[in-house]
Amino acid sequence: MNYDIISRPIKMYPINAGLDHKLDYRDFPDMLTDIVTPQEFSAMCQEINEKFRKHRCKKKDIALMAGAVSFIPLMIPFLKRYSKHQRRRKQAVLEVCDSWNQAHPTAKLSWDEKMGDVVITVRQPRVPVAYQDKTKKKKRRNRERETRRAKRKQKKKDKRKEAKKSGSSESADHDPALYDKIFGSHTQNVGSAAAAAPTTSTGTQARSEANHRRKHRRRRSESSSGSDSSSSSDSSSTSESSLSVQDSKSDKLKL
């Protein structure tokens, strides 16, 4: 079975001008709610404070430290006494830690020599996650959508700016209607009237094309009808000429 290990130092506050410290028994950690009661925690802290009391810096140590400011060799006996107090504090804390760990195996106490703190570590069984948090997924998807929308909007804005800068001047030379929209119709009236290009909308262009097609169809129908009439007249003339020839032949025979 997998476990989660959580460690935290017990809060301490300084005394004797920062030379010594005391454990704050009122700062009950939340990770000990189901393991230890607040009364047991405060009793443990007070026990450690009582054992620390015997090995704190006394008036003699403070005098040696103050005298070392003017006379540096006095710092040597002060450091010897201070290191002796630290060793005795460590022994006192380890005794309390052993008794505590026997009573509470899930919440262990230890002494951090580098930092000088009393650390409490809790080992809790890891709860298997049956399902993933859907709210986190939704938030992540919404953020991705917002970023995509922002990118699309920025791309559209960039394209519009490029079209206004480069595309407008190039297309205005070919399309007179677009030329009037961009530069105005009054610029075409400058100079000769022949240089002015007529502006037509898409609707008027479509109408003119439709009218042109209708006229073309009419011309084709008229031309086809004229050809039919000419062919009929030619056929009638040929028939009359053939009849006149036959009459002349018959008259000759009679004579």
Side-chain angles (χ1 to χ4, degrees):
M1 189 174 183
N2 296 325
Y3 291 91
D4 290 329
I5 297 171
I6 303 167
S7 61
R8 182 199 147 179
I10 298 172
K11 191 176 179 181
M12 303 174 76
Y13 57 93
I15 56 173
N16 290 336
L19 295 172
D20 298 313
H21 294 83
K22 287 182 75 173
L23 296 176
D24 189 4
Y25 61 89
R26 294 168 292 183
D27 184 23
F28 183 73
D30 296 332
M31 60 185 180
L32 297 175
T33 50
D34 298 331
I35 301 168
V36 181
T37 60
Q39 290 78 15
E40 292 176 349
F41 178 77
S42 62
M44 180 266 294
C45 292
Q46 288 176 1
E47 184 180 358
I48 292 172
N49 288 333
E50 286 294 327
K51 290 191 175 183
F52 276 1
R53 189 175 182 180
K54 297 178 183 178
H55 312 295
R56 289 174 188 159
C57 293
K58 299 179 175 56
K59 293 180 180 179
K60 187 176 181 179
D61 298 319
I62 295 169
L64 289 172
M65 187 181 69
V69 177
S70 59
F71 189 65
I72 293 172
L74 292 176
M75 184 63 72
I76 296 169
F78 169 75
L79 292 174
K80 287 183 178 180
R81 288 177 61 84
Y82 190 76
S83 61
K84 182 178 69 175
H85 294 323
Q86 288 288 348
R87 286 195 302 270
R88 291 178 180 176
R89 277 184 215 157
K90 181 182 176 181
Q91 292 176 0
V93 170
L94 290 176
E95 290 176 0
V96 177
C97 289
D98 291 336
S99 62
W100 174 270
N101 293 333
Q102 290 177 1
H104 307 284
T106 55
K108 292 186 178 182
L109 281 176
S110 60
W111 172 252
D112 188 1
E113 294 184 5
K114 292 182 179 179
M115 302 300 294
D117 295 329
V118 180
V119 181
I120 187 163
T121 57
V122 177
R123 192 179 69 169
Q124 294 178 349
R126 186 176 295 173
V127 179
V129 180
Y131 62 94
Q132 294 181 352
D133 194 3
K134 294 182 179 179
T135 57
K136 291 182 180 179
K137 282 189 174 182
K138 287 182 180 178
K139 289 179 180 178
R140 186 178 64 188
R141 288 174 184 172
N142 292 331
R143 288 173 188 168
E144 290 176 356
R145 287 175 186 172
E146 288 177 358
T147 53
R148 288 173 187 170
R149 288 175 185 172
K151 287 180 181 178
R152 288 172 186 170
K153 288 180 180 178
Q154 190 64 31
K155 285 181 181 179
K156 288 180 181 179
K157 287 180 180 178
D158 296 337
K159 287 180 181 178
R160 288 173 186 170
K161 288 179 181 179
E162 289 177 359
K164 285 180 180 178
K165 289 180 180 179
S166 62
S168 61
S169 60
E170 293 177 358
S171 60
D173 298 334
H174 303 286
D175 191 359
L178 186 60
Y179 185 89
D180 289 337
K181 287 181 182 179
I182 296 168
F183 298 102
S185 60
H186 64 279
T187 57
Q188 293 181 357
N189 297 325
V190 179
S192 63
T199 60
T200 57
S201 63
T202 56
T204 56
Q205 288 177 359
R207 289 173 189 170
S208 63
E209 289 176 359
N211 293 328
H212 183 70
R213 288 173 186 171
R214 287 173 189 170
K215 289 178 181 179
H216 186 65
R217 287 174 187 171
R218 286 176 186 173
R219 289 174 184 173
R220 288 180 65 184
S221 62
E222 289 174 358
S223 63
S224 63
S225 63
S227 63
D228 293 338
S229 62
S230 63
S231 61
S232 62
S233 63
D234 294 337
S235 62
S236 62
S237 64
T238 52
S239 62
E240 288 176 356
S241 63
S242 62
L243 288 172
S244 64
V245 170
Q246 287 178 1
D247 292 337
S248 64
K249 285 180 180 180
S250 61
D251 292 336
K252 288 179 181 180
L253 291 171
K254 286 178 181 180
L255 292 171

